[in-house]
Amino acid sequence: MDSKLTTHVLDLSKGLPAQGMKIELWAIADHGEHTFIKEVYTNKDGRVDDPLLHGDDLTPAEYELVFYVGEYFNDKATDSYIRPFLNKVPLRFGISSTEEHYHVPLLVAPGGYSTYRGS
């Protein structure tokens, strides 16, 4: 199996992929220290072009994806009266196996979000 970490962002307010959203990936140490790994942007399909982690880079640990939803909705705003409630959405999760595909989707709107472990 091709072990990797991927993500996908859907803009529920438009029913479309969230193109151009900034995402940061962090590793979280046992004592809570955050180590920055990378910054990426979603493409026209709401995905990133390459896996966030794959192969030997995917190690068992705790990670955090930070989705910049406030910037995304402010940049895409068509109605000046609607302002996003959320700024950054951090999703912290654990990777326990180097033999699996971990997929972290985000469904987002200006006032809320939902996530789950995808496939």
Side-chain angles (χ1 to χ4, degrees):
M1 174 176 265
D2 184 25
S3 59
K4 60 187 170 185
L5 170 63
T6 58
T7 190
H8 186 199
V9 185
L10 296 174
D11 179 344
L12 293 178
S13 68
K14 296 180 182 158
L16 297 170
Q19 180 179 0
M21 185 179 292
K22 177 180 163 180
I23 304 169
E24 292 177 347
L25 174 62
W26 296 80
I28 312 297
D30 289 337
H31 56 279
E33 180 180 329
H34 289 57
T35 302
F36 178 77
I37 298 175
K38 66 172 58 173
E39 175 183 296
V40 295
Y41 288 83
T42 55
N43 60 25
K44 67 179 180 161
D45 295 321
R47 301 175 186 273
V48 295
D49 292 329
D50 297 306
L52 296 163
L53 296 172
H54 65 282
D56 293 339
D57 293 333
L58 184 75
T59 60
E62 187 172 10
Y63 294 92
E64 185 172 85
L65 287 170
V66 180
F67 297 85
Y68 282 70
V69 299
E71 285 181 14
Y72 167 80
F73 282 113
N74 281 329
D75 290 347
K76 307 286 186 212
T78 56
D79 185 339
S80 62
Y81 295 104
I82 297 175
R83 284 296 180 241
F85 171 68
L86 302 167
N87 184 21
K88 297 175 189 173
V89 172
L91 299 179
R92 192 174 289 193
F93 56 94
I95 289 180
S96 59
S97 171
T98 60
E99 303 296 320
E100 296 182 46
H101 175 189
Y102 290 84
H103 183 65
V104 182
L106 181 71
L107 309 173
V108 67
Y113 69 94
S114 178
T115 189
Y116 56 96
R117 181 175 176 186
S119 58

